[in-house]
Amino acid sequence: MKVVNLRQAILQAWKERWTDYQWAINMKKLFPKGPTWDLLGLSDHLLEQALVGPSPNPLIMSYLKYAISSQMVSYASVMSAIAKFEDYSRELCVKALLELMDMFCDRLSCHGKAEECISLCRSLLSTLAWLLRCAAYCTEKLKEGSDGTYGEEQLELCMNQIEKTVSKRKNRALLHIARLEEQVTWTNLEQALIKLTENQNKISNQQLRLRLEECIGLVKSIPIITAQSEQNTKMEFPTVHTLIMLEGTLNLTSDTQSLVEQLIMVKRMQRIPSPLFLLEIWKACFVGLIESPEGTEELKWTAFTFLKIPQALLKLKKCPLGDKDFAEDVNTAFEFLLKLTPLLDKADQRCNCDCVSLLLQECGKLGLLSESNMKNLVNKRTADRELAPRLKSAENASIQPNPGLILRAEPTVTNILKTMDADHSKSPEGLLGVLGHMLSGKSLDLLLAAAAATGKLKSFARKFVKLNEFAKHISGEGSKAASVRALLFDISFLMLCHVAQTYGSDVILSEPSTSGEVVFFETWMLTCMPEEGKILNPEQGFRADPTKVESLVAHLNSSTEMKLVYVATCFCFAVILFDDYFQDAECQVKWHEVCSCTPAAILEVLNAWEHGLLTFEAVQKITDNIKGKICSMAICAVAWLVAHVRMLGLEEREKPLQMICQLVTPLYAENTLQFYNERVVIMSLILEQMCADVLQQTATSIKFPSANLDPIPYRNLLPVKKPIKEVLITNFNDILNKGWVDSRSIHVFEALLHMGGVYWFCNNLIKELLKETRREHCYKAVELLHSVFCLDMQQITLGLLGHILPGLLTNSLKWQMLMDPPGRALAKLSVWCALSAHSSHNKNQATAKQRKRHREDIEDYINLFPLDDSQPSKLLRLLSSNEEDPNILSSPGDRTMSSSLSASQLHNINMRDPLNRVLANLFLLISSILSSKVAGPHTQFVQWFMEECVECLDQGSRGSVLQFMPFTMVSELVKLPAMSKPKTVLAITDLGLPLGRRVAAKAIAAL
């Protein structure tokens, strides 16, 4: 019907003085079918007719009020009609509109389609802009001084309506959506707000001015729709402590930025106050210093504490962590730390120095502390140390403190790197002197620890790889030059082996060369060097030229003294028999070929010995020749023998083990090359680690030259005859009782993870968590498990979210395990793991030990979770077996909106990534649980899971895992009492997408 007929019907009702209910009945008779009243513009026509004169028509206004009360017209259409009125000089009309708004502005709702809900948001924003313009008009009138009493009354009414509209959380949420949806309208609102602010100071009535200021502040706060949760009131935070212990124990070479990001994530998720957060970092560092084994591990912890952690704090300073100044937080943390006198005294005794003062000086250099605060803290600690017990023996006084040595080693690393950049061919003797000095005492370990803590170890190792390559190349040289070149090759080889064993082989490996150039040490390390958990093929060493191998065996078996230069017609490469006079400089030793031929030569010797062709003394002479000058030959020989012994039966191992015993015993003689004693010390450490696993497996005991030192720390921690599940449970209960994880426990967990696998490790620890019945124990276990899972967060999260959780949620027999408190604790742990894994999975932060473990095949996840929606995934089919109505889990294509459509798909997230795939299907499973007819502990678990997601999102980790949540899940979530809050809906939907805003508007408008 035409609009003019609707207008005529309104005029007829006014002429005949119909009552409001008579009007409604007659209107429905006149318009029995057809478009809705909103489409006919009923609200616009009623207001247009009601506001014709200087005052509103009360009868027509009563028709509109009846239409609102009986829901003939929507709130959105009424507010849109109000916002079109611009003649603010007609005070009575404005007052009538304000009274009309007062009917419904605090109970807005819409149960229609998403477009109608978005229309409600837009209309509300337009109406608020109208109210601000009206208030601005009133202030203009007050400024001009015309009819002050009436102007103040009108302004009061506007402010009342603004407060009533904006103070309600639901309205603020709708306005927030509208602000993102209608940028132009929001700009107009801001302009009206600016105008109102300018007029505010010109109002003479102070009480009115203060109230107007409050209204302006209320409108300005509309974008801030969530309040920060209260901070944690605890004093101890096991997750931070364990994360620091894990980084200092296993990941010294990892990027500092990755550590900072993990710490920030933990701080936000657990809402830790900044001073206590920093205090926990320092506490963990001092505990690590105290309990670290002597030797390399102690130096690594010292470098971590005094070099890496201050640099990490410097990066933390650049991140917004709280309202206070970061320097003040650091100062407060040190104030708390100084109260832990027994801990600091123990650390000072262990390090033989004032650890806190050294740390304060480092923090002062980096600008983390002001000069005055630093001096004050140093003075306090100095006064406390006067009362501390000290070891005053002469021996203790002569020991140089490791922290001081590490701090001096850091600039030395930079100088050595510069030295290594020079042309080696110009001054090889000078370079040899530098390397020899590095081998003395614990200089090498100090330099490596300092380089690792400052992120320079990769560059350090690459320099020695290049030096090792340089020593391969041959140019005309005399006997002295040949000796220097041999030593450069040997020392660089030893250093690289030591680095690989101490810090992992990843720090040595380079990017694949485009030229196809083969780097000898990298190739040997990957194919021949024994490492923990690495399986080697002994036949890798048989690729050398048989002629060269035969010649090398002959020379090794000769009684003549071995020299470094050889002239031969068959090959020019090997350790040589010749007298001291150098006759021909054109044919030189190629040491990489010597090392490559050594395994095959050893096999020849071993076969000859086993067949009785060689005596024990002859074999001893051969092994003496191998280790007599160049230690790298002995390392290559032992490396092959270790791989060979693993392949032999029990009765066949005797002679290979005897050869290993002969090779690891150093040969001290007067004619050995320079720095032999220093090289032997490094060689012995390398061989001891190489042989550790095979000696344990064969129950063989070999006395290494370093036997007077402590054994290799953290090796063979698992009991031989105890099931690994018992070890895991015992270790977990130990850390739960202590409340924190020590370095030894970290290594035990690492060994169990490697031996049992990711799923076994995670599944058994989750079972232990679900056995807990006390709330405080459950939450302590969650904090500890989250940090332990950092051993391999990516793979453990895949196992937890992709296998363990679905298994619990889809099996009704296991639902009782999800009761509170263990079920709530598991939900918290799952969210923490999901957020941690998702925040780092694109940044390639896996450690060397993580990369050694088996990775889940992506095809496993593709088969478990299909890419298309044509059929329900395996998880959903599992769940459907527990449903009364299997149609609940019908294909998403049968619904108006695909049940699997999520923000991640609109953002074109790579769904072939296993973690993305697992997260998407977990949320599909959760959505199916919410929409099912069966409620139980699994439904409560879903609520806890989503609540934890919202809590963590409040802390700044927005835009991560919830992007995988299907849009259709929002309407199901708001049916849960704990989730039916506007701020929850805003938190779980992606408001950056038009579809996300419509879904949020529909859910909030229905609350």
Side-chain angles (χ1 to χ4, degrees):
M1 183 169 289
K2 296 181 181 179
V3 172
V4 66
N5 291 333
L6 181 59
R7 186 178 296 120
Q8 287 174 353
I10 295 171
L11 290 174
Q12 182 182 354
W14 172 71
K15 289 177 183 178
E16 298 179 6
R17 298 297 189 266
W18 294 346
T19 60
D20 49 9
Y21 68 89
Q22 284 178 328
W23 170 81
I25 292 171
N26 290 330
M27 289 294 288
K28 291 177 182 178
K29 288 180 180 179
L30 291 171
F31 305 95
K33 292 182 180 180
T36 63
W37 296 112
D38 284 350
L39 289 177
L40 292 174
L42 181 59
S43 301
D44 289 324
H45 290 301
L46 286 172
L47 271 184
E48 181 184 344
Q49 296 299 321
L51 303 177
V52 171
S55 63
N57 186 317
L59 184 59
I60 298 180
M61 288 298 290
S62 70
Y63 296 160
L64 181 57
K65 291 178 182 178
Y66 187 88
I68 295 171
S69 300
S70 62
Q71 297 183 0
M72 286 178 65
V73 293
S74 66
Y75 297 127
S77 66
V78 176
M79 288 190 293
S80 295
I82 291 173
K84 293 175 183 177
F85 185 80
E86 296 291 344
D87 191 357
Y88 303 112
S89 61
R90 294 155 63 185
E91 289 90 351
L92 294 176
C93 291
V94 172
K95 184 178 180 181
L97 292 176
L98 292 173
E99 290 174 352
L100 185 65
M101 280 193 65
D102 195 56
M103 286 180 57
F104 58 81
C105 69
D106 59 343
R107 54 185 178 88
L108 295 176
S109 64
C110 179
H111 298 275
K113 297 180 180 179
E115 280 300 330
E116 297 173 9
C117 299
I118 279 289
S119 178
L120 177 65
C121 297
R122 294 179 180 136
S123 302
L124 182 60
L125 184 62
S126 300
T127 306
L128 180 59
W130 179 83
L131 287 171
L132 291 173
R133 290 195 298 271
C134 185
Y137 175 83
C138 294
T139 56
E140 286 284 351
K141 287 294 182 182
L142 288 174
K143 185 175 65 172
E144 295 171 0
S146 59
D147 196 5
T149 305
Y150 189 80
E152 288 183 1
E153 182 183 350
Q154 194 84 333
L155 183 59
E156 284 276 2
L157 288 173
C158 284
M159 289 191 297
N160 287 339
Q161 202 55 52
I162 291 172
E163 288 178 348
K164 193 172 182 179
T165 302
V166 180
S167 60
K168 191 170 176 61
R169 286 185 177 274
K170 180 177 178 179
N171 290 355
R172 291 170 66 83
L174 295 174
L175 286 168
H176 181 64
I177 295 171
R179 181 180 73 89
L180 301 173
E181 186 74 17
E182 291 290 330
Q183 295 291 339
V184 176
T185 308
W186 180 258
T187 303
N188 295 335
L189 183 146
E190 288 179 324
Q191 291 173 354
L193 203 59
I194 292 171
K195 187 176 181 180
L196 189 59
T197 306
E198 292 172 351
N199 296 338
Q200 167 194 342
N201 297 325
K202 299 176 182 178
I203 299 177
S204 57
N205 188 329
Q206 184 178 1
Q207 184 177 359
L208 196 63
R209 186 171 66 248
L210 290 175
R211 191 173 173 204
L212 183 58
E213 186 178 349
E214 291 177 1
C215 282
I216 293 172
L218 194 61
V219 175
K220 286 182 177 179
S221 68
I222 286 174
I224 307 171
I225 44 81
T226 57
Q228 284 290 92
S229 302
E230 294 183 4
Q231 288 197 322
N232 209 320
T233 56
K234 296 194 307 177
M235 292 298 293
E236 294 183 350
F237 304 95
T239 305
V240 178
H241 186 103
T242 307
L243 184 58
I244 293 296
M245 295 295 292
L246 190 148
E247 286 292 313
T249 304
L250 296 179
N251 299 331
L252 181 60
T253 58
S254 66
D255 182 29
T256 306
Q257 185 61 35
S258 67
L259 170 61
V260 170
E261 290 171 358
Q262 290 182 73
L263 289 172
I264 291 175
M265 176 68 73
V266 171
K267 183 183 186 301
R268 285 175 173 166
M269 289 192 301
Q270 300 188 22
R271 304 181 295 280
I272 306 174
S274 294
L276 297 180
F277 171 68
L278 296 171
L279 172 64
E280 198 66 45
I281 292 175
W282 291 127
K283 284 166 57 180
C285 288
F286 280 101
V287 170
L289 276 174
I290 292 168
E291 69 175 20
S292 59
E294 290 187 10
T296 304
E297 292 298 319
E298 182 182 0
L299 293 178
K300 288 164 71 173
W301 258 108
T302 306
F304 180 78
T305 302
F306 291 91
L307 292 178
K308 187 166 185 175
I309 288 298
Q311 289 296 328
L313 295 188
L314 187 61
K315 291 182 180 291
L316 278 171
K317 183 181 179 181
K318 300 175 184 177
C319 304
L321 295 180
D323 298 331
K324 290 186 179 180
D325 179 54
F326 187 75
E328 283 300 315
D329 289 333
V330 174
N331 181 59
T332 306
F334 273 113
E335 292 277 4
F336 290 151
L337 183 65
L338 291 181
K339 296 177 182 179
L340 304 177
T341 309
L343 176 70
L344 302 183
D345 290 346
K346 185 73 174 176
D348 287 355
Q349 283 187 4
R350 175 67 191 273
C351 298
N352 194 30
C353 67
D354 186 352
C355 295
V356 172
S357 295
L358 288 175
L359 267 181
L360 290 170
Q361 291 172 18
E362 286 302 302
C363 291
K365 291 177 185 176
L366 297 174
L368 299 172
L369 277 171
S370 64
E371 188 72 23
S372 58
N373 286 339
M374 186 184 74
K375 289 181 179 179
N376 180 42
L377 292 167
V378 169
N379 292 336
K380 284 184 179 180
R381 179 56 189 158
T382 303
D384 289 343
R385 290 191 82 228
E386 295 297 325
L387 305 175
R390 301 185 187 179
L391 298 174
K392 298 186 177 180
S393 64
E395 180 183 354
N396 186 60
S398 63
I399 298 175
Q400 286 187 301
N402 283 333
L405 293 174
I406 282 289
L407 292 173
R408 289 200 296 273
E410 194 270 332
T412 307
V413 170
T414 305
N415 294 333
I416 290 176
L417 288 175
K418 292 179 181 178
T419 303
M420 298 291 291
D421 282 330
D423 187 355
H424 304 323
S425 61
K426 292 183 178 179
S427 179
E429 293 84 359
L431 181 59
L432 182 61
V434 172
L435 298 181
H437 180 72
M438 288 173 61
L439 292 176
S440 61
K442 57 183 180 181
S443 297
L444 179 59
D445 285 329
L446 278 169
L447 293 169
L448 293 179
T454 54
K456 298 175 182 176
L457 185 60
K458 183 84 174 177
S459 176
F460 204 72
R462 294 307 307 161
K463 303 293 183 187
F464 284 99
V465 169
K466 289 182 179 178
L467 176 61
N468 191 260
E469 288 294 295
F470 162 77
K472 287 171 29 179
H473 300 300
I474 295 176
S475 58
E477 60 183 5
S479 58
K480 182 178 180 181
S483 299
V484 170
R485 186 166 60 84
L487 286 172
L488 289 177
F489 178 89
D490 199 45
I491 293 174
S492 60
F493 189 95
L494 291 170
M495 286 183 173
L496 289 170
C497 287
H498 187 58
V499 169
Q501 288 185 338
T502 308
Y503 297 99
S505 57
D506 276 15
V507 298
I508 294 173
L509 296 174
S510 60
E511 297 297 327
S513 174
T514 55
S515 61
E517 182 181 357
V518 178
V519 180
F520 164 70
F521 183 82
E522 291 184 16
T523 305
W524 178 85
M525 179 180 67
L526 291 173
T527 57
C528 302
M529 183 175 176
E531 291 181 275
E532 187 178 1
K534 183 176 177 181
I535 306 300
L536 296 174
N537 178 9
E539 296 184 3
Q540 289 282 355
F542 301 154
R543 297 177 181 176
D545 185 346
T547 308
K548 296 179 180 181
V549 173
E550 184 180 345
S551 180
L552 177 59
V553 172
H555 296 316
L556 290 174
N557 196 31
S558 172
S559 59
T560 313
E561 182 191 344
M562 298 178 65
K563 302 296 179 183
L564 300 177
V565 188
Y566 173 59
V567 182
T569 57
C570 63
F571 68 108
C572 303
F573 79 95
V575 180
I576 323 309
L577 302 168
F578 207 62
D579 49 352
D580 291 337
Y581 179 74
F582 176 73
Q583 293 185 356
D584 186 349
E586 295 301 321
C587 197
Q588 310 297 333
V589 181
K590 294 181 179 178
W591 290 107
H592 65 290
E593 294 189 1
V594 173
C595 293
S596 299
C597 292
T598 298
I602 289 294
L603 177 61
E604 294 293 331
V605 173
L606 186 60
N607 287 336
W609 188 17
E610 288 176 343
H611 287 83
L613 301 178
L614 289 175
T615 62
F616 178 84
E617 291 75 15
V619 174
Q620 181 73 59
K621 182 189 69 173
I622 292 172
T623 55
D624 287 348
N625 282 337
I626 291 174
K627 65 190 178 184
K629 293 185 181 294
I630 304 300
C631 297
S632 49
M633 286 184 67
I635 291 175
C636 292
V638 173
W640 179 83
L641 284 168
V642 166
H644 182 64
V645 167
R646 289 176 182 270
M647 309 296 290
L648 299 177
L650 185 63
E651 66 282 354
E652 299 171 317
R653 294 174 177 173
E654 180 183 357
K655 285 185 169 54
L657 289 173
Q658 286 184 12
M659 286 191 74
I660 292 175
C661 186
Q662 292 171 352
L663 287 166
V664 300
T665 306
L667 177 66
Y668 297 104
E670 296 181 0
N671 59 354
T672 54
L673 285 174
Q674 194 176 5
F675 305 122
Y676 183 73
N677 292 342
E678 291 84 355
R679 287 184 289 127
V680 160
V681 172
I682 303 295
M683 180 188 76
S684 299
L685 293 173
I686 294 168
L687 295 181
E688 185 176 2
Q689 291 207 46
M690 276 187 178
C691 299
D693 287 343
V694 74
L695 293 181
Q696 181 194 22
Q697 293 169 7
T698 57
T700 305
S701 176
I702 293 180
K703 185 176 180 180
F704 289 86
S706 56
N708 57 326
L709 304 175
D710 293 332
I712 302 173
Y714 307 128
R715 291 295 287 263
N716 306 326
L717 293 175
L718 302 182
V720 178
K721 297 184 179 180
K722 192 173 183 180
I724 58 172
K725 184 175 180 180
E726 289 184 22
V727 178
L728 180 67
I729 294 172
T730 302
N731 213 44
F732 173 74
N733 290 328
D734 287 345
I735 66 170
L736 192 59
N737 292 332
K738 288 191 298 185
W740 57 285
V741 185
D742 56 15
S743 296
R744 187 183 185 281
S745 297
I746 287 174
H747 281 278
V748 172
F749 279 126
E750 218 284 331
L752 289 168
L753 175 59
H754 178 68
M755 182 174 289
V758 171
Y759 178 81
W760 175 89
F761 182 81
C762 181
N763 188 43
N764 282 291
L765 287 177
I766 295 300
K767 286 180 180 178
E768 293 304 306
L769 171 63
L770 294 176
K771 290 178 184 177
E772 296 295 333
T773 55
R774 297 184 60 183
R775 187 182 299 271
E776 58 271 23
H777 283 181
C778 285
Y779 290 162
K780 185 192 294 185
V782 167
E783 293 180 328
L784 292 169
L785 286 178
H786 177 252
S787 53
V788 169
F789 286 173
C790 287
L791 285 167
D792 198 347
M793 182 60 76
Q794 294 295 318
Q795 293 297 308
I796 290 176
T797 302
L798 286 176
L800 175 61
L801 303 185
H803 297 283
I804 296 171
L805 271 190
L808 292 170
L809 292 173
T810 56
N811 188 345
S812 58
L813 298 178
K814 296 181 179 180
W815 287 352
Q816 61 180 355
M817 301 170 66
L818 300 177
M819 300 287 285
D820 193 22
R824 185 188 287 267
L826 177 58
K828 183 183 289 286
L829 176 63
S830 301
V831 173
W832 286 5
C833 289
L835 290 172
S836 299
H838 189 266
S839 67
S840 62
H841 88 289
N842 289 324
K843 298 174 184 176
N844 194 27
Q845 293 176 1
T847 65
K849 293 199 173 187
Q850 290 171 5
R851 294 190 188 99
K852 291 177 187 175
R853 287 192 286 274
H854 168 69
R855 304 315 272 162
E856 295 282 1
D857 189 350
I858 188 172
E859 294 301 324
D860 296 341
Y861 290 94
I862 291 174
N863 294 331
L864 183 61
F865 312 123
L867 274 173
D868 62 334
D869 273 342
S870 60
Q871 56 179 348
S873 70
K874 181 179 177 182
L875 291 182
L876 300 186
R877 292 196 301 272
L878 285 173
L879 184 61
S880 67
S881 63
N882 295 320
E883 296 292 342
E884 296 177 3
D885 183 6
N887 294 325
I888 292 173
L889 297 174
S890 61
S891 174
D894 298 336
R895 309 182 190 179
T896 54
M897 182 190 294
S898 171
S899 63
S900 64
L901 182 62
S902 64
S904 62
Q905 291 169 305
L906 299 180
H907 287 307
N908 295 322
I909 301 296
N910 177 22
M911 294 309 295
R912 295 192 68 83
D913 180 90
L915 182 60
N916 293 343
R917 182 179 292 273
V918 164
L919 286 169
N921 282 274
L922 176 64
F923 277 108
L924 277 177
L925 177 60
I926 289 174
S927 179
S928 298
I929 291 173
L930 290 173
S931 60
S932 69
K933 296 179 181 179
V934 178
H938 65 308
T939 314
Q940 184 67 60
F941 176 88
V942 167
Q943 177 178 318
W944 292 327
F945 184 91
M946 296 306 300
E947 284 178 351
E948 188 62 32
C949 284
V950 174
E951 284 295 315
C952 292
L953 288 172
D954 276 351
Q955 301 305 317
S957 38
R958 185 181 180 87
S960 54
V961 297
L962 286 181
Q963 65 182 322
F964 298 98
M965 185 185 72
F967 287 118
T968 53
M969 182 173 150
V970 177
S971 59
E972 301 293 339
L973 271 176
V974 294
K975 295 177 184 177
L976 300 175
M979 304 298 289
S980 58
K981 301 173 185 175
K983 83 163 191 175
T984 301
V985 176
L986 293 175
I988 63 179
T989 50
D990 189 342
L991 300 179
L993 295 170
L995 182 56
R997 293 194 291 271
R998 278 154 179 73
V999 169
K1002 182 175 172 60
I1004 294 172
L1007 293 177

